[in-house]
Amino acid sequence: MTETKTSENRPSETHTGVIGRPIDRIDGPLKVTGGATYAYENALEGAAYGYILGAAVAKGRIAEIDTAEAERAPAVLLVMTHRNAPAQPDFGPAVTPTVPEVFTRARPALNSERVRYYDEPVALVVAETFEAARAAAGFIKVRYDEEPGLYDLPGHMADAYAPKRTNAGFETDSMIGDFESAFAAAPVKIDATYRTPFEHHNPMEPHATLAAWSGNELTIHTSAQTLANFRAGIASTLRIPPERVRIVSPFIGGGFGSKLIAHSDTILAALAAQVLQRPVKIALTRQQMFANAGHRAEMIQQVRFGADADGRLTGIAHDVWSAASSFEEYCEQTAVFARSLYVAPNRVTRHRLVPLDINRGEWMRSPGEAPGMLAFECAMDELADRLGLDPIELRIRNEPAQDPERGVPFSTRNLVACMKEGARRFGWERRNPTPGRTREGRKLIGYGMAAAIRPNYIGAATAQVAVDRDARVTARLDMTDIGTGSYTILTQIAADSLGLPISSIKVELGDSRFPRTAGSGGSWGAASAGSALHNACNALKQRILKAAQSSEASPLHGASATEASFANSEVRIGQRSAGLADLIRRIAPDGFEAEGSVAAGATTESYKAYSQHSYGAHFAEVAVDCDTGEIRMRRMLAVMGAGRILNAKTARSQIIGGMTWGIGAALMEQTVLDRRYGHFVNHDLAEYHVPINGDVPEMEVVFLEEHDDKANPLGAKGLGELGVCGAGAAVANAVYNATGVRVREFPITLDKVLPALPVIAI
Ligand code: MOS
């Protein structure tokens, strides 16, 4: 069994190099001193400011739009509407079955009098100042021919249809054996329907763009997770070759999936800059982000388990109905993880969409697992309760020997080890299996746990690395750092590979002039960009070694040995060694350069031959006030098996961030869609509740020692989203254990708990 070695800030003990060490963020000082320039902070001579006016109805047509007064307003340079916006291609079909098409399709703005969702842009005002633009936008008069729209997921379940694929290209349905018969025959059954609400990402930095043309070359300073997606999407929308679009995004104030594709700030800034022949800056307001930057869709999930009396699953069914837009399909892969988590001979997973007159859902941190595990891992808790079995024991009894639906082995899978280690550290044995029995004065105390699983991806990536005569290294790739630590771990990877101090390494990211990567998304960033850089460093070392052996000016000339190494700023070949800087000065005063790449995982044999996921176990303790139903978190623990940890500190930060999302999903987060008019009512951070410091308890994160040699050359696996997966279910299960009240409609707010709380006399 895997030993637990790496915890919070201690480095992994089996790797002596710089990889794994909890070093501080390389970009930290720049960020805290204001030296990191974010998109909207870029200053360009002559830049004008745009302000977007959004539609006041959710469905209909613009019958009349009067912009005269806005055009006459002080300092206004341009008022753009569907009447005068540059021609753009049509939006295209509602169905976008292929993965590249989602990212590359044209996303025209102000190209039609049609309104498809509430607050869709209907006009852009550009002025000398932001204030002038915003004020003038208030002078625009719009008359709409409003049409009745559909906004109610539960009310329109009859319209549900099966899309061709889910997000990330998974099969919409999976079916093995005969679930219905197995379920009918099962001595123990759970049939639970859960509801999860609309949710919004709300990265700290809003979506913002500064666009500038120089001749027919367009430069976009923006906040992007994946530069290649922005480049392709803008090029399609503007009908120009991608090579003429440069995307610059060195610092990003969070994304969480909302910055995987370009939104209206980017498209409109590019169009207005073209019309005005001046740089144009546009940011979405916080309120506009709720309507225009994607969301996690509302869902209804039915989870059914059939089990024998010992808790062995005979059937698993996970059915998902999700709200969707009618103009572009997005099907969150909510039940896909259920195909790999537990063993059972009879299995069904299905995804259905209910088209509504709302904006499209988009990727939001842990797409699929975040809502899916919230329901599924609570249903497992319900099953354990019904069986009178410990929830960990139930999961152990259903641990598969290989991927239950693909029939291939796991690359690494330490779910059971995570649960056992977590139980030991958390003091799980102190949990009273009978709910509502643990009291501390007016507080009802509960413990809950849940499993975590998240697929491991690799995206195609290339990195370029150069070393100069002073042995200073520059690595360049169009990878992004969305706050996760990309700069830091890439610095560690290069330093480790080349045997140089981290102060000798400079990593440059966030510019589409650098080699293309898959960017930040799907938890693939570190492993994809990191593997490309690792391979680039290997190529660089080969070049240096070859020259060191063959050049007559080299102190290592003629050295031959099977063993060569780069360590302590030296190159060693067999028994002979030379300082790297000294060597380069003698043999290649201009230094060396190399490139390295990694192929998309889905195309490689090891991804076809192995089921690759990260795993974990979440534990939560809550206290519920027996009079008010108020739920307070007391502590949380996550034990994770996520391959080799590249930086113990940034990895831990990713997990505690994810656990915080779990608290939000379980207890707070919910965007309320007005079922009559189709707008998100609580569209700001005063009314969209997320956990703040006072809501977040002591959190402990433990990483099991792991190295996944099937995943990539680094042995690392994705973990940016793993912390979210199952975290909310652990909280919800703790609330049940505390109170005996099972709330199946998230978030679990006190009004849903209180009516069912037993009256307790003190
Ligand atoms: Mo992630 S939701 O793919 O940024």
Side-chain angles (χ1 to χ4, degrees):
M1 195 185 93
T2 316
E3 278 287 292
T4 302
K5 289 219 179 106
T6 311
S7 76
E8 301 198 356
N9 288 341
R10 273 192 303 125
S12 161
E13 284 164 20
T14 55
H15 304 291
T16 50
V18 66
I19 290 181
R21 279 199 203 144
I23 66 166
D24 292 340
R25 280 162 198 276
I26 301 292
D27 48 329
L30 272 182
K31 286 184 170 171
V32 297
T33 57
T37 305
Y38 289 85
Y40 204 74
E41 297 175 318
N42 283 289
L44 279 183
E45 185 72 31
Y49 294 79
Y51 187 86
I52 296 170
L53 180 70
V57 301
K59 189 178 187 187
R61 287 172 188 280
I62 300 169
E64 235 177 273
I65 184 159
D66 177 357
T67 56
E69 199 180 342
E71 280 156 16
R72 285 195 304 269
V76 168
L77 301 164
L78 171 70
V79 179
M80 196 191 279
T81 68
H82 68 277
R83 295 178 313 198
N84 62 345
Q88 301 155 70
D90 286 341
F91 179 74
V95 179
T96 55
T98 67
V99 173
E101 197 189 335
V102 170
F103 299 118
T104 58
R105 76 183 306 177
R107 295 186 178 278
L110 300 179
N111 66 324
S112 149
E113 78 290 352
R114 258 241 73 92
V115 175
R116 303 172 301 175
Y117 62 91
Y118 187 87
D119 207 24
E120 180 174 12
V122 295
L124 171 75
V125 181
V126 186
E128 296 290 353
T129 67
F130 170 76
E131 291 76 9
R134 185 176 56 179
F139 298 143
I140 297 174
K141 294 173 209 64
V142 193
R143 194 169 63 73
Y144 300 94
D145 284 338
E146 198 175 348
E147 295 163 23
L150 307 180
Y151 311 113
D152 184 22
L153 169 65
H156 298 291
M157 296 285 278
D159 300 339
Y161 73 97
K164 287 214 169 62
R165 290 263 162 183
T166 75
N167 177 50
F170 294 104
E171 300 281 347
T172 305
D173 296 354
S174 71
M175 215 162 284
I176 289 177
D178 177 358
F179 172 80
E180 297 299 341
S181 305
F183 186 67
V188 184
K189 298 184 224 284
I190 290 292
D191 180 348
T193 298
Y194 283 82
R195 288 184 57 178
T196 56
F198 288 101
E199 292 177 350
H200 279 77
H201 326 66
N202 282 307
M204 192 93 78
E205 182 200 19
H207 296 65
T209 301
L210 168 61
W213 289 83
S214 165
N216 58 13
E217 307 271 319
L218 172 62
T219 301
I220 299 274
H221 298 267
T222 191
S223 188
Q225 291 179 224
T226 303
L227 272 48
N229 293 353
F230 273 60
R231 197 181 207 192
I234 293 161
S236 315
T237 311
L238 272 59
R239 288 196 266 231
I240 56 176
E243 301 72 42
R244 297 216 325 249
V245 182
R246 179 184 172 201
I247 312 288
V248 187
S249 192
F251 298 103
I252 296 119
F256 310 118
S258 76
K259 295 171 181 171
L260 283 169
I261 56 170
H263 292 92
S264 50
D265 59 303
T266 308
I267 301 302
L268 289 173
L271 291 173
Q274 190 173 33
V275 172
L276 288 171
Q277 290 294 302
R278 279 177 70 167
V280 172
K281 238 185 210 198
I282 302 176
L284 298 184
T285 65
R286 182 62 66 187
Q287 288 84 355
Q288 287 172 337
M289 283 166 64
F290 278 79
N292 288 290
H295 55 253
R296 182 167 351 256
E298 180 182 13
M299 289 175 208
I300 295 172
Q301 300 179 54
Q302 183 186 22
V303 183
R304 287 175 292 166
F305 294 131
D308 68 18
D310 294 330
R312 286 191 176 77
L313 290 166
T314 54
I316 295 173
H318 191 175
D319 281 285
V320 183
W321 293 265
S322 175
S325 92
S326 13
F327 64 86
E328 186 179 6
E329 214 168 62
Y330 174 80
C331 181
E332 192 161 337
Q333 65 271 38
T334 303
V336 166
F337 75 89
R339 299 172 187 169
S340 301
L341 191 50
Y342 302 121
V343 76
N346 304 288
R347 345 175 37 102
V348 180
T349 63
R350 285 182 284 235
H351 299 82
R352 297 293 178 267
L353 295 178
V354 177
L356 302 177
D357 292 297
I358 56 173
N359 197 3
R360 54 164 283 158
E362 289 183 20
W363 314 264
M364 179 160 158
R365 197 173 184 185
S366 324
E369 292 80 12
M373 298 197 87
L374 196 54
F376 191 92
E377 284 295 286
C378 282
M380 276 297 273
D381 202 64
E382 295 198 40
L383 178 61
D385 194 54
R386 185 152 307 168
L387 287 158
L389 198 60
D390 183 89
I392 295 175
E393 179 57 29
L394 171 64
R395 287 166 173 85
I396 291 172
R397 287 188 190 176
N398 293 290
E399 171 71 7
Q402 58 173 15
D403 190 291
E405 301 206 6
R406 289 182 57 203
V408 296
F410 298 109
S411 57
T412 62
R413 174 168 165 129
N414 278 308
L415 175 57
V416 171
C418 289
M419 291 190 294
K420 286 184 169 169
E421 181 62 19
R424 186 181 73 74
R425 286 174 178 259
F426 201 69
W428 183 249
E429 78 285 353
R430 293 200 296 275
R431 169 184 182 266
N432 187 333
T434 310
R437 292 287 170 82
T438 307
R439 294 265 306 274
E440 283 180 21
R442 289 173 51 227
K443 301 262 185 280
L444 297 165
I445 309 300
Y447 285 21
M449 65 80 56
I453 180 173
R454 171 80 196 161
N456 185 51
Y457 298 112
I458 289 284
T462 300
Q464 199 177 63
V465 64
V467 58
D468 71 10
R469 49 184 288 129
D470 298 317
R472 276 199 294 260
V473 172
T474 306
R476 292 197 173 104
L477 48 173
D478 85 351
M479 177 60 183
T480 53
D481 189 328
I482 59 175
T484 44
S486 309
Y487 280 108
T488 313
I489 56 116
L490 292 171
T491 301
Q492 288 172 276
I493 288 166
D496 185 80
S497 173
L498 299 169
L500 292 168
I502 59 171
S503 57
S504 298
I505 314 291
K506 185 159 193 263
V507 172
E508 296 182 355
L509 305 179
D511 190 327
S512 62
R513 288 180 172 173
F514 301 155
R516 179 173 169 166
T517 70
S520 300
S523 301
W524 60 61
S528 307
S531 297
L533 181 57
H534 173 87
N535 290 341
C537 290
N538 279 344
L540 185 73
K541 290 194 285 192
Q542 287 314 314
R543 250 182 217 177
I544 296 171
L545 283 174
K546 206 169 155 210
Q549 287 165 309
S550 62
S551 165
E552 295 197 351
S554 164
L556 302 174
H557 179 68
S560 74
T562 45
E563 299 245 321
S565 66
F566 287 67
N568 305 317
S569 306
E570 283 185 347
V571 184
R572 177 170 292 278
I573 304 178
Q575 295 304 309
R576 294 164 64 187
S577 67
L580 182 61
D582 181 53
L583 175 73
I584 294 173
R585 266 180 224 137
R586 286 167 192 258
I587 63 174
D590 293 334
F592 290 93
E593 269 184 36
E595 267 195 7
S597 293
V598 67
T603 66
T604 64
E605 284 313 310
S606 84
Y607 277 75
K608 289 177 193 148
Y610 293 92
S611 168
Q612 300 200 15
H613 296 83
S614 305
Y615 295 90
H618 286 284
F619 293 80
E621 180 182 334
V622 302
V624 183
D625 188 297
C626 67
D627 294 320
T628 67
E630 180 189 1
I631 301 164
R632 303 302 298 185
M633 299 301 305
R634 303 240 292 196
R635 61 195 177 103
M636 288 178 90
L637 163 69
V639 180
M640 299 303 188
R644 183 183 185 189
I645 300 304
L646 300 173
N647 178 316
K649 183 179 285 182
T650 57
R652 174 178 179 272
S653 294
Q654 284 302 298
I655 301 297
I656 62 175
M659 291 158 82
T660 306
W661 275 53
I663 300 172
L667 304 180
M668 296 170 198
E669 290 188 48
Q670 171 175 32
T671 333
V672 178
L673 184 71
D674 188 314
R675 309 268 184 213
R676 301 160 305 168
Y677 302 113
H679 69 285
F680 289 114
V681 179
N682 54 331
H683 60 319
D684 58 48
L685 290 180
E687 294 188 89
Y688 184 87
H689 292 173
V690 296
I692 57 160
N693 280 349
D695 301 311
V696 177
E698 193 64 35
M699 286 179 173
E700 193 188 350
V701 179
V702 177
F703 294 108
L704 297 186
E705 186 68 41
E706 216 183 274
H707 185 107
D708 191 336
D709 63 357
K710 310 295 186 303
N712 53 62
L714 295 166
K717 293 203 279 202
L719 54 71
E721 292 163 310
L722 181 64
V724 183
C725 306
V731 175
N733 293 338
V735 172
Y736 173 76
N737 181 246
T739 61
V741 182
R742 179 66 71 179
V743 177
R744 297 192 186 87
E745 187 168 331
F746 290 98
I748 307 173
T749 45
L750 57 81
D751 55 296
K752 296 173 191 165
V753 177
L754 192 56
L757 270 188
V759 175
I760 296 169
I762 296 191

